Amino acid sequence: MTDLTELGVAALRDGVASGAFTATEVASAFNAAVEAAQGALNAFIVTTPDAALAAAGKVDAARAAGQPLGKMAGVPIGMKDLFATKGVQTTAASKILEGFVPPYESTVSQKLWDAGAGMLGKLNLDQFAMGSSNETSGFGNVISPWRKGDDTTPLAPGGSSGGSSAAVAARIAPAATGTDTGGSIRQPAAFTGISGIKPTYGRCSRWGVVAFASSLDQAGPMARDVRDCAIMLEAMAGFDPKDSTSLDLAVPAWEAGLNADMRGKKVGIPREYRVDGLDADVAQSWEDGIAWLKDAGAEIVDISLPHTKYALPTYYIIAPAEASSNLARYDGVRYGLRDLPDGANLQDMYAATRAAGFGDEVKRRILIGTYVLSAGFYDAYYTQAQKVRALIAQDFAKAFETVDVILTPTAPSAAFPLGQKSTDPVEMYLNDVFSVPASLAGLPAMSVPAGLSRDGLPLGLHVIGRPLDEQGVLNASLALEQRAQFSAKPGKWW
């Protein structure tokens, strides 16, 4: 039999439907792969092999009875540990939520289970999704399955969805959920040679997803290729009355609409993204992407996004401000960790619990957010940042009057060694320089593998689309994928 762990979403779904193999065989193969890799990669905080087998059994029974199968039938996936899963611990990779077992299911995960997917476990991440390297997790950092040539130095899998990217790249999950606030699907996808799409803000429900920055957070799929992402996004997306920011729109048939023909399409190349000192490999991959889209029939157009240079500081005012508000609920009173020193009063308990439960990066962002929201500074920082955010969105709107999609690099470099940037928060924040603008504007954006650096590490290309034009983003990404012919995968050292 074909090694089932080498197959992606479409191949697994179609193979189960045709009877080439059973969903139970698929779940068993991936359960074994997860177990074999866990000690080396630390991609999962909790594994749920029984849940994967139970979901597979339902799919096999439905097929035997001649019942229709869902879009994800027979596909076991990893669930980022930011999504509430009923009866299974949900921590947001923070010790302050260790032991919390939700009595409810997030809307996105429920949609995936309803579509026939099974859960391999809860994936590790940067604590509360705050980070770009998966080094802020309260449960230890994830290690990328990739290595730089013969160098054995552990590399970052990207963040915050580092557990998701590592699991898919290592072939221990065919796909995984991610969340993207400023690039947390796209940057880890680029670092590990997989695909990932952040849909338009509001496409996927945020209900039951642990909140970081509510006006930016958006769930999306991470998988081996563009088609697999389209399949999974169809299952994840849809209106949810429990989420006031959810868009009341029908879910398009993205998989059926995939088309790599770019004739008649215009692709914008923003001059502001050609930053001084851009890594030579990244610059070359961008030029390759431009040539590939030309080959697909697209017209290349130089465009300007003049407020791009303000995007990163704007993001690191707005996101911490919203985090400060959202994380105020973790106080040791209702759920999660409670640190109650002898003789402590309520204020002491709050302080001790938050000091013990939150990591340094979370504390840093809470402090920044509280500062910019404080009296005397609210107008100087937060209000001004919101005005700049509006200008960034206007830049994109103007650009999309003349182009259909925008092409940029996903990240300013390939994956870096663990520990290299974690001592300098500003240097770490710069990893989001290419991904943050689309997040501030709420636009759909996708990273696809472009090739390898001279050190043999994956590089990603980044496609940004108009609001609600996930199809255009997927199609341009498919054109890139077909021409890049990326087939590299990490050597199995674990």
Side-chain angles (χ1 to χ4, degrees):
M1 181 185 293
T2 302
D3 182 355
L4 295 175
T5 62
E6 289 296 321
L7 302 180
V9 173
L12 291 170
R13 176 199 63 184
D14 296 346
V16 168
S18 70
F21 39 78
T22 67
T24 298
E25 288 172 329
V26 173
S28 297
F30 278 100
N31 279 340
V34 168
E35 183 179 2
Q38 181 58 5
L41 301 179
N42 196 34
F44 287 86
I45 294 174
V46 172
T47 58
T48 56
D50 291 343
L53 288 170
K58 290 180 181 178
V59 170
D60 287 337
R63 183 183 180 280
Q67 297 171 357
L69 301 180
K71 291 183 176 70
M72 296 283 292
V75 182
I77 63 170
M79 183 63 60
K80 186 176 181 178
D81 198 25
L82 211 62
F83 294 83
T85 44
K86 185 176 182 179
V88 179
Q89 177 181 267
T90 299
T91 68
S94 177
K95 290 293 185 179
I96 206 163
L97 276 175
E98 188 172 15
F100 172 60
V101 178
Y104 55 90
E105 191 79 32
S106 79
T107 298
V108 163
S109 57
Q110 188 61 60
K111 282 179 173 291
L112 287 163
W113 312 149
D114 292 345
M119 182 167 68
L120 294 165
K122 303 299 290 294
L123 289 158
N124 205 347
L125 63 144
D126 281 297
Q127 189 171 161
F128 283 102
M130 299 180 192
S132 300
S133 64
N134 223 137
E135 292 177 89
T136 72
S137 171
F139 299 91
N141 55 271
V142 176
I143 298 172
S144 173
W146 286 87
R147 290 291 179 270
K148 186 188 294 185
D150 295 328
D151 190 341
T152 59
T153 303
L155 300 176
S160 65
S161 305
S164 301
S165 65
V168 175
R171 273 48 178 180
I172 63 174
T177 57
T179 60
D180 193 310
T181 304
S184 289
I185 286 173
R186 293 161 285 158
Q187 183 250 26
F191 274 17
T192 57
I194 66 170
S195 295
I197 182 169
K198 179 195 83 70
T200 305
Y201 180 79
R203 271 290 193 196
C204 294
S205 171
R206 292 187 299 109
W207 193 86
V209 182
V210 178
F212 163 18
S214 299
S215 73
L216 295 159
D217 298 344
Q218 189 58 197
M222 302 174 73
R224 308 271 176 83
D225 58 33
V226 172
R227 184 184 181 195
D228 286 357
C229 284
I231 294 167
M232 191 169 171
L233 185 58
E234 279 188 49
M236 294 171 66
F239 175 63
D240 180 8
K242 296 191 293 293
D243 175 6
S244 63
T245 62
S246 177
L247 298 172
D248 192 0
L249 298 169
V251 177
W254 288 306
E255 182 190 10
L258 288 174
N259 184 350
D261 186 353
M262 294 291 290
R263 286 176 294 183
K265 303 293 184 182
K266 294 183 178 180
V267 177
I269 308 298
R271 63 179 67 100
E272 289 79 10
Y273 280 56
R274 297 190 184 278
V275 295
D276 292 337
L278 181 63
D279 179 272
D281 290 338
V282 171
Q284 184 57 55
S285 73
W286 194 8
E287 292 304 320
D288 291 342
I290 293 170
W292 291 333
L293 291 180
K294 277 185 181 178
D295 182 67
E299 178 185 346
I300 305 301
V301 180
D302 287 331
I303 61 169
S304 177
L305 299 171
H307 293 93
T308 294
K309 61 184 177 181
Y310 304 116
L312 211 57
T314 298
Y315 174 84
Y316 280 101
I317 290 172
I318 293 172
E322 295 185 8
S324 172
S325 176
N326 278 324
L327 271 61
R329 71 194 67 176
Y330 303 105
D331 52 17
V333 175
R334 288 156 291 188
Y335 47 78
L337 176 70
R338 175 180 296 178
D339 193 327
L340 187 61
D342 291 341
N345 60 27
L346 186 63
Q347 184 62 41
D348 294 333
M349 186 194 74
Y350 287 162
T353 297
R354 290 164 71 82
F358 289 144
D360 289 345
E361 182 61 30
V362 173
K363 292 173 184 175
R364 181 181 293 114
R365 298 199 193 193
I366 290 173
L367 288 170
I368 293 170
T370 303
Y371 177 79
V372 301
L373 291 176
S374 61
F377 297 102
Y378 183 94
D379 287 336
Y381 292 103
Y382 186 73
T383 300
Q384 291 298 104
Q386 291 288 16
K387 290 178 181 178
V388 176
R389 182 181 188 175
L391 293 174
I392 291 168
Q394 288 173 19
D395 285 350
F396 279 109
K398 184 175 181 180
F400 284 125
E401 291 175 2
T402 56
V403 300
D404 297 285
V405 294
I406 294 169
L407 179 70
T408 78
T410 306
S413 71
F416 47 82
L418 290 167
Q420 185 182 81
K421 299 179 184 290
S422 54
T423 56
D424 185 345
V426 174
E427 189 176 359
M428 187 69 79
Y429 296 165
L430 289 171
N431 259 276
D432 301 328
V433 66
F434 294 141
S435 56
V436 155
S439 294
L440 289 169
L443 301 173
M446 184 169 198
S447 180
V448 291
L452 298 176
S453 71
R454 283 168 288 187
D455 292 324
L457 298 178
L459 299 169
L461 285 170
H462 186 222
V463 178
I464 306 169
R466 294 186 178 96
L468 303 176
D469 188 24
E470 285 80 9
Q471 192 71 67
V473 171
L474 290 162
N475 289 351
S477 298
L478 183 63
L480 292 169
E481 178 182 272
Q482 290 181 353
R483 285 156 181 81
Q485 290 290 298
F486 185 87
S487 59
K489 60 181 181 179
K492 192 170 182 180
W493 53 266
W494 55 92

